[in-house]
Amino acid sequence: MGVTLLASLGAAKAQVYKAEEPLAHTYSIVARDPNTGEMAVGVQSHWFSVGTAVPWAEAGVGAVATQSFTNKSFGPRGLALLKEGKTPEEALAILLADDEGREVRQVAIIDAQGRVAVHTGKQCIRYAGDITGKNFSVQANMMLTDKVWPAMARAFEKSEGQPLAERVMLALQAAEREGGDIRGRQSAALVVVPGQKAEPWEAKTIDLRVDDHERPLDELERLLKVYRAYEHMNKGDLAVEKGQMQQAMQEYGKAEEMFPKNLEMKYWHAITLANNGQVDEAAKLLREVYKKDENWRELTSRLPEVGLLDVSKQQMDKLLK
């Protein structure tokens, strides 16, 4: 598709439209949570693996969405300019100054203070436009209607008080309800970073991608729910580490409630019950797990040797049955 389109544009524009630049005609949002300082980029497109091209974010610095005839360098270069102390407006002006393809670009930048800047080139394919608000910018191009980005803005503003990732999802879903990309849908991505500088292993709070799917937003929403469930799992693990078994049981239980068919969540909930003396309840859950996969029974037998399961021999026999 890309090669055919590039050829049709003619030699005169060859230096503007480059084969290596993804044709990410899409809708996106860059946003910041004023309470936590977190920053996010959410995007959906009818293009493969849009998450590798459009969203860029760095903890304590800012976030960038670069789309339409995408200049991927705008992501890392824009963030570098913010780190130098440039405002989003200044950074955007620098990025566009020497870009011969500026009129086919669409790019939005938000910094750690919530300041925003956005550019929609005059040659972005209709319908295209953007709206900026307090701590956010929404932008879209090649949309079915001109109602897409206003709907995104309204959805984001009305969702104040919810976690940033969920607010971004609501904005993306609002875009889809208004028709979204005129070509349909294929991929989506959601990136959330902390508001303060962080160590590399803590540099992204959420990093979810759906590279190729019939309903990418539905899948992205499911992945976000899985992420939230595993937040409870991680809290449960931490509680076990600290010997806080009651707290661990509560966290594992919350995770299992969200995904009752997930064997991992059911299993560790059962083990925590057993460690709290509720062996009969634990055995009941474990039977359900073993029925699906016998390997979990073998895992149970290995836990006492590393101190993760503290029960009597009689209780252990019951858990292994």
Side-chain angles (χ1 to χ4, degrees):
M1 176 186 173
V3 174
T4 303
L5 177 58
L6 294 168
S8 69
L9 292 169
K13 293 186 178 180
Q15 58 185 349
V16 174
Y17 302 93
K18 299 177 181 179
E20 66 270 18
E21 294 176 349
L23 309 180
H25 302 289
T26 186
Y27 54 81
S28 69
I29 175 172
V30 296
R32 175 180 174 269
D33 186 327
N35 297 316
T36 66
E38 286 182 324
M39 294 165 287
V41 188
V43 59
Q44 181 181 267
S45 178
H46 188 282
W47 193 256
F48 176 69
S49 193
V50 72
T52 62
V54 171
W56 302 83
E58 184 173 342
V61 177
V64 179
T66 172
Q67 57 197 48
S68 188
F69 283 82
T70 305
N71 186 332
K72 288 198 287 188
S73 78
F74 282 3
R77 289 169 59 204
L79 293 172
L81 288 166
L82 293 181
K83 289 173 76 172
E84 291 175 8
K86 300 290 191 297
T87 67
E89 286 284 359
E90 291 169 338
L92 185 58
I94 292 169
L95 293 175
L96 296 173
D98 60 354
D99 180 23
E100 295 180 346
R102 67 180 68 88
E103 295 307 331
V104 297
R105 311 292 190 208
Q106 192 172 50
V107 58
I109 303 176
I110 190 167
D111 70 5
Q113 298 178 49
R115 298 176 296 186
V116 295
V118 63
H119 164 80
T120 298
K122 295 177 182 177
Q123 289 180 265
C124 287
I125 298 172
R126 181 166 58 94
Y127 289 101
D130 56 74
I131 294 176
T132 61
K134 190 175 181 180
N135 287 299
F136 80 91
S137 174
V138 293
Q139 45 282 327
N141 64 91
M142 199 188 274
M143 296 295 103
L144 183 63
T145 76
D146 60 359
K147 297 178 181 179
V148 171
W149 56 98
M152 295 176 72
R154 287 194 301 271
F156 184 77
E157 290 175 326
K158 289 180 180 179
S159 63
E160 189 173 356
Q162 296 191 44
L164 183 59
E166 278 73 10
R167 297 184 71 189
V168 167
M169 280 299 313
L170 288 170
L172 297 177
Q173 290 165 337
E176 198 62 19
R177 284 195 297 273
E178 293 296 341
D181 190 323
I182 195 170
R183 303 163 301 170
R185 60 196 69 83
Q186 184 172 1
S187 65
L190 172 62
V191 178
V192 180
V193 298
Q196 303 296 322
K197 291 183 179 179
E199 298 292 348
W201 54 89
E202 297 175 333
K204 288 184 179 178
T205 308
I206 298 175
D207 189 5
L208 302 175
R209 278 178 33 199
V210 179
D211 287 339
D212 186 34
H213 198 279
E214 289 184 3
R215 301 186 67 86
L217 277 190
D218 289 351
E219 177 63 6
L220 190 63
E221 183 180 32
R222 186 190 71 82
L223 291 176
L224 179 57
K225 185 179 177 183
V226 173
Y227 171 83
R228 294 301 186 201
Y230 271 90
E231 278 189 319
H232 289 300
M233 292 293 291
N234 291 335
K235 290 177 182 177
D237 290 347
L238 182 60
V240 168
E241 237 179 82
K242 295 180 177 180
Q244 300 168 345
M245 291 304 176
Q246 191 62 36
Q247 179 66 27
M249 188 164 59
Q250 291 176 4
E251 294 296 344
Y252 290 143
K254 289 177 182 178
E256 191 192 351
E257 285 176 13
M258 295 177 72
F259 287 92
K261 294 183 180 180
N262 185 296
L263 297 185
E264 182 90 29
M265 296 171 184
K266 191 184 295 289
Y267 179 80
W268 292 111
H269 185 195
I271 295 302
T272 310
L273 285 170
N275 281 322
N276 274 273
Q278 301 177 52
V279 175
D280 289 339
E281 293 179 37
K284 181 180 178 182
L285 288 178
L286 288 174
R287 280 196 295 273
E288 296 174 16
V289 174
Y290 299 158
K291 188 175 180 180
K292 298 289 185 181
D293 188 342
E294 273 290 319
N295 286 343
W296 291 99
R297 191 191 307 271
E298 172 60 24
L299 177 59
T300 303
S301 71
R302 300 179 185 182
L303 295 184
E305 64 194 60
V306 293
L308 288 179
L309 183 56
D310 184 15
V311 294
S312 67
K313 184 180 183 306
Q314 184 180 6
Q315 290 173 325
M316 189 65 179
D317 290 342
K318 182 177 289 188
L319 294 176
L320 289 173
K321 279 185 179 179

